[in-house]
Amino acid sequence: MTEWILFVQLFAGLLLIPGEDASCAVELIPPRVVVKHGDPVSVNCSTSASDVAGVGWEASQGGTGIREQRSVMWTVESLIQWDISPKCFLNDIHGKQCLTKLDLVIYTFPETISISSSADLNEGIRENVEYNFTCSILNIAPVQNLTIRWYRGDALIHTNTLQSEQKKPTNQTSVHSFTPTRQHDGTTIRCEAHMDLGPEGSKFNASSQELNIKVLFGPYIECNTIEVQEGESLEGKCNVTGNPPPSVVWLKDGHPVNLTDPLRRNDTGTYDVKADAVEEKIQVDVHYGPEWMCPDTFTASEYRPHNLICSQGFPEPQEIWYKDHEEVKLPDILTRRDAGQYWVTVSNNLTTLNYTVDIVVHYPPSDIVELEDSEVKAGEGLVLKCSSAGNPRLNYSWTYYKTENVNERTEDGVSALVINNANGFNIGSYTCHAWNERGNVSKTVRVTVKGAEQECPIEIQPDTMVLEYQSRGQAAVCKPRNADSNVKEIFWQIQPDRNISNESWTPDVSKDWDLSPVCHGDFKGIGRCNKTLLYILYKPPENVSIDTKDNSTSTVEGGVMELKCSIKDVAPAENLKVHWTWQKGNETVELGSVGANNASSCSFPKKRSPVNVECYMNITLNRTHHGTEVRCEAELDLGPKGPQPPPSANSYSFILNVTYKPKINTTKLPKSVPVIRGYKEELVCEADGNPPPKIQWHYSSRTAFLGSNGTLIVNEEGTYNCTAENYLSRDTHVVQVELKEDYLPLLAGFVALTVVGISVIFVTIYSIYYKNTKMRRYSLKNPKLSTLNGNVAHNTWDIQLPVTKLS
């Protein structure tokens, strides 16, 4: 309970702090103290109250404690505590206490303040660029209404006030942003710091050093249009400023100008004034009096603007025209009615002049008449007429494809073009030109030759070029049919994006594969036409080989073998022909040919450079194909103007190896074989197959035995079974042997007897025949010769003599 009472009393005493207890009866002399840090200070605290128990000072430096007296002095020899807060307290006889706080200000001021800039002022600062200037006040306390003033020269340009609750010394800065102009060049900038601590204390006033401002600006060219009299110079006519002072150069038409030289009228114009990196275009006008420029006689074209200006001067002179003593305005477009003599007065602010001028109006050619599109039959003639009217007298010319059968003539202002014996070279456009000094007209018509085709007068030598890869080069010449002025242009187009202006072109036989050379010409009257050079760069096949598609070397009878013919590095593939042949023994058969036009079984790349080509052929195999040699031949058919015979290459022979089932030859081994009793018979069992089959006999006879090469020797009847077998299949043939009796001796005796009988009959008949024919007697008495034959006797039966048979 006692502690609680003491706490309440203490709390009540705290409520008596100055500002909270204004009735505390103490007096501080002086009531407010401003003292420099480290200086002595002395303040008296006294009271006039009658119930005083004691008075004292409470302070962290120089405190006195409670004293039973009415007046107590607070004294400090060197005040160094920044946050000290001295209080004078009073205790009365009733146990109450009150406090009064001393208004104490401890200060310290810097001896100087400084100013700095964000730029190097020695080098200068640039016009219209913002820079920061900093005013630094170091180690200052307190900061109460610290005012920073900025001056440019003697002019105040900025003020700001700083405040701080901090009692200890602080560093204060003020930043001023400054954007210089050229008017600021040569001025100074400084800052001042001001702080007033009241009448009890000191005043702080300090100024920084002055910073010299050097503003870099320009150059600036201060002039617009300059007007001078002829003979004056440009010196002093244009002010150029800048810092640093610029180097000034005047140029006209790119040439330097001396400003002290007098100007002439032709010096009027635009000048380039260069001041270092700045350049301005300045118009300079040189004034001079009017001068006459027109000839005594002026010739103009009718209905065309003439732009006739007869005087010059600056300012521009005024022209007044008179005709027949009346003021007139010269039309912008003259007609023949405007021709005649004129009196002209020209003047400006310098002088006035009078002149005369004769105007002559000429007329350009009128539209061409009589000339129209025409058609003529081949071999006949045609006349084209061209006429026009104009002044001065007109000249004529024609533009067309000139040939020997066309002539030109001009009579009485009319030009004629005569075509004799028209042909295909006369087909085209014909343009007649009529002109005089004041104009020209033209008209184009087209001539068609019925029964003739349009000819392109281009010759290519040679017209076909077939060259072998890396062979000796050859030039192709493209030229006009006639070496005259008909051709406007002639050139080679080797590729769509590659033209050669020369008439001669030589291909590169090592790389110019995909070219389509076209000779183009542009001819008068015909226009553009072209001819194509048949150009082929070829390369015979480097190698031709044949193989199966799946690299298999044999297959079974009835299967399909796909053969592949590989042609390596050949060009162009579109001219390639592939021939398939096979040979068995001395027989050679061509199986067929294939080319780019029927390439269903070949892969022909659509390139003209060397490529690899593959062709295929399907063969349905049978046993007759076994051992056949198949070849493929690659031939480059380059046409009649290519090499003859065409370049070709053959593959090696591919031998077909067909495997097939065995088949017994039943021609040599019939189903039934007779055997004469007592004799032996050889049974031959032969079979065709691949691989060669194994021959075996199956029989029950005990007397049969095997001979050489699979034969069987039998001498008794029975059933004999021959089997031919390979890994594909087996073939069996059964032979039935039948035993027969031997009738040969009887047959031989019968034959001998028959021969003897026939011989006897033959001898008898021959004897009779000889006696009656060869041994006759004849008489030649009174022979009568035949008129058809003069022989007397013949050794044949058919004699022509009349003979008498003698008895």
Side-chain angles (χ1 to χ4, degrees), residues 637-655:
D637 186 0
L638 302 172
K641 300 222 176 156
Q644 300 298 330
S648 62
N650 286 292
S651 71
Y652 56 84
S653 296
F654 181 85
I655 300 176

Side-chain angles (χ1 to χ4, degrees), residues 22 38 74 138 227 250 265 268 324 416 425 610 640 681:
W74 175 67
L138 306 180
E227 295 182 354
W250 287 66
R265 64 193 63 185
T268 295
D324 298 331
F425 289 105
E681 185 67 29

